[in-house]
Amino acid sequence: ELDRLNELEHLLEHFEQVEGELASIRDGLTRAHRLTMLGTMASIIAHEVNNLLTPVISYAQLALQNPEDHALAQKALQRVVDNARKATSISESMLSFVRDGRVASAAGDAPLAGCVEQALQCLGGKGALNRDHIRLTLDLPQVSVAMPALHLQQVVMNLVLNARKAMKQQGGGVLTIRGRAHGGRVYLAVADTGPGVPHAIRD
């Protein structure tokens, strides 16, 4: 009987050790996935910021070459202000995503439409999709979900990144994000017109 108890204790200790190792692996995979996502986001945002800066530089150079043209100088300054605001908005969204990721709580109240918009903004906004020849359709109710906003944003970003990658391979398409509230639940559907999962591995 004593031998059995000792054996059970050893088994329990072993299971606890395995549980700890699995938790550590799970945390590592989560961090790795987050870093991969941030790398993809950084690449997209660098491209978007470059698109915002290029016309600013062109207008500024033109204004410097024509110092007597006050209308051109005014237009150049307005372009600087407008594009700087857009770049600031994109960078603030990404910084918010990174900062919030460090303190994400287990509870929260996430506005569905706001989280989707924030996720899209982190990826360069609707303009980035347009440049990839992807048309965006949004149909979202003003409802909240009982979960941390950051977690919902992460889900949306993953789906949008996957959809974008699939549709870029075929030269563009349509991305549709729809939500609805029914029976005390909130449903979110993200659909794209990409090639889909190959039939051979669909199961």
Side-chain angles (χ1 to χ4, degrees):
E1 190 65 31
L2 189 58
D3 288 341
R4 277 188 171 182
L5 286 174
N6 288 334
E7 190 177 338
L8 282 172
E9 283 181 6
H10 287 312
L11 280 172
L12 287 172
E13 287 175 5
H14 178 68
F15 284 139
E16 285 175 4
Q17 183 183 350
V18 170
E19 268 189 351
E21 290 173 356
L22 285 173
S24 178
I25 291 169
R26 187 164 54 244
D27 289 343
L29 287 172
T30 300
R31 284 194 297 272
H33 172 71
R34 188 173 186 78
L35 287 172
T36 300
M37 182 190 286
L38 286 173
T40 304
M41 286 167 58
S43 173
I44 294 170
I45 289 169
H47 181 71
E48 286 308 301
V49 170
N50 186 58
N51 285 337
L52 291 170
L53 290 178
T54 300
V56 165
I57 294 169
S58 298
Y59 269 103
Q61 287 174 336
L62 199 58
L64 287 171
Q65 291 166 8
N66 300 274
E68 74 288 344
D69 192 337
H70 297 295
L72 177 60
Q74 189 68 27
K75 192 172 184 180
L77 285 172
Q78 190 60 55
R79 180 58 65 93
V80 169
V81 171
D82 291 343
N83 284 20
R85 282 176 176 162
K86 290 176 184 175
T88 300
S89 177
I90 291 172
S91 63
E92 283 178 350
S93 295
M94 189 173 185
L95 285 171
S96 174
F97 177 80
V98 174
R99 283 194 300 264
D100 292 346
R102 296 178 189 152
V103 294
S105 61
D109 194 31
L112 182 64
C115 286
V116 171
E117 288 287 352
Q118 187 77 2
L120 291 169
Q121 189 65 24
C122 280
L123 299 175
K126 298 173 185 177
L129 292 172
N130 290 337
R131 278 182 282 280
D132 290 332
H133 306 291
I134 296 171
R135 183 164 55 85
L136 176 66
T137 300
L138 292 176
D139 182 12
L140 298 165
Q142 295 300 320
V143 296
S144 292
V145 185
M147 67 183 294
L150 175 75
H151 294 177
L152 182 54
Q153 287 172 29
Q154 281 184 287
V155 171
V156 173
M157 275 195 282
N158 273 324
L159 294 172
V160 171
L161 283 172
N162 287 344
R164 177 178 174 272
K165 182 178 179 182
M167 288 188 285
K168 275 188 74 174
Q169 294 173 355
Q170 60 182 29
V174 180
L175 173 65
T176 304
I177 304 177
R178 287 197 173 96
R180 67 184 178 94
H182 178 73
R185 296 187 178 190
V186 176
Y187 297 85
L188 179 66
V190 180
D192 65 72
T193 56
V197 179
H199 185 76
I201 62 170
R202 194 167 297 173
D203 287 345

